[in-house]
Amino acid sequence: AQSVTQLDSQVPVFEEAPVELRCNYSSSVSVYLFWYVQYPNQGLQLLLKYLSGSTLVESINGFEAEFNKSQTSFHLRKPSVHISDTAEYFCAVSRNQFYFGTGTSLTVIP
Amino acid sequence: DVKVTQSSRYLVKRTGEKVFLECVQDMDHENMFWYRQDPGLGLRLIYFSYDVKMKEKGDIPEGYSVSREKKERFSLILESASTNQTSMYLCASSLDRDRGHTEAFFGQGTRLTVV
């Protein structure tokens, strides 16, 4: 069975500072990896995904994540955050089902 | 764009009532899922379905049932609502697993309060 661990439940960061949200997973087989973002009182939206190929994947709003097979990690990074990035972020893996982490609440401080 | 629509954004029900949460997707996805989301617990899978009239239990199926009579619609049923079922409920869909799992597409969520 797969499991997903998001190491930080809350991450406060100042505007324009860099941020890293950590995600580790456990799986004995190949999986697909995802990051989702959730704004208050909304559903989850896909931020980026890794299916195969290049281990570095990017989103349209400046986030990136790197798949590290040896460390079974898929950390999310952004070099300079904006106020609008304040949200809940979920890491997920899929094989036959989707398994989600418990989420990281990112708060960007003006 | 894929659209997953949940019938209600907010619901308030009384203890013991039978509650129906409806979800419809418009992209001919084979797979559909129901999750509940609670603070500090993330998303927990209640039930999922890979095909019409097919259902499988997730991690927390107790107190719930589902129905999938048509490919585009997946209903979650609370047979007798209890206060511990107060939560945010999220429906999702994805492409057929044999063609590779792409991302799950989510509805806006239904915030259910049982009083």
Side-chain angles (χ1 to χ4, degrees):
Chain A
Q2 285 82 28
S3 70
V4 181
T5 302
Q6 291 184 242
L7 296 161
D8 306 295
S9 60
Q10 295 184 340
V11 174
V13 61
F14 285 106
E15 191 175 14
E16 298 184 0
V19 70
E20 178 180 78
L21 307 184
R22 297 179 292 169
C23 173
N24 287 91
Y25 68 94
S26 63
S27 175
S28 58
V29 297
S30 296
V31 294
Y32 301 132
L33 298 159
F34 308 87
W35 276 99
Y36 284 84
V37 60
Q38 184 181 35
Y39 299 102
N41 294 314
Q42 294 189 23
L44 276 67
Q45 304 171 30
L46 180 70
L47 191 59
L48 45 77
K49 63 184 177 183
Y50 171 77
L51 303 180
S52 64
S54 172
T55 57
L56 184 66
V57 290
E58 299 177 353
S59 72
I60 57 173
N61 57 355
F63 283 94
E64 65 179 28
E66 186 161 18
F67 169 54
N68 188 318
K69 188 175 182 178
S70 63
Q71 297 185 6
T72 59
S73 68
F74 192 54
H75 301 332
L76 181 70
R77 302 185 187 95
K78 190 170 185 180
S80 176
V81 294
H82 301 127
I83 297 291
S84 59
D85 294 325
T86 294
E88 189 88 13
Y89 292 80
F90 291 92
C91 181
V93 302
S94 80
R95 179 69 179 173
N96 295 321
Q97 300 177 23
F98 291 88
Y99 298 88
F100 289 85
T102 52
T104 297
S105 177
L106 174 64
T107 301
V108 180
I109 305 163
Chain B
D1 282 351
V2 174
K3 194 168 183 180
V4 180
T5 303
Q6 295 183 229
S7 53
S8 303
R9 292 294 305 276
Y10 301 94
L11 275 179
V12 180
K13 296 292 181 180
R14 294 195 181 278
T15 302
E17 278 193 77
K18 190 168 186 177
V19 182
F20 293 86
L21 303 183
E22 306 287 345
C23 176
V24 177
Q25 51 94 3
D26 65 359
M27 280 298 289
D28 202 36
H29 283 175
E30 279 79 7
N31 306 323
M32 296 189 75
F33 309 85
W34 274 107
Y35 295 88
R36 64 176 284 176
Q37 181 182 11
D38 300 287
L41 298 178
L43 277 71
R44 293 181 291 168
L45 182 63
I46 305 172
Y47 269 95
F48 60 102
S49 169
Y50 288 139
D51 203 350
V52 176
K53 296 191 184 294
M54 177 271 179
K55 61 184 178 184
E56 295 210 22
K57 294 180 180 179
D59 300 318
I60 52 164
E62 296 78 19
Y64 303 94
S65 62
V66 290
S67 172
R68 193 165 183 201
E69 296 296 319
K70 294 184 178 181
K71 189 175 185 179
E72 67 270 19
R73 186 179 297 270
F74 192 36
S75 302
L76 180 69
I77 303 155
L78 285 66
E79 297 291 343
S80 177
S82 64
T83 55
N84 63 12
Q85 292 178 309
T86 292
S87 185
M88 169 74 99
Y89 290 87
L90 293 167
C91 175
S93 71
S94 73
L95 280 173
D96 179 75
R97 60 178 170 171
D98 292 335
R99 287 185 276 156
H101 254 268
T102 60
E103 66 264 32
F105 294 85
F106 282 84
Q108 290 287 80
T110 297
R111 187 167 294 280
L112 173 67
T113 302
V114 182
V115 298

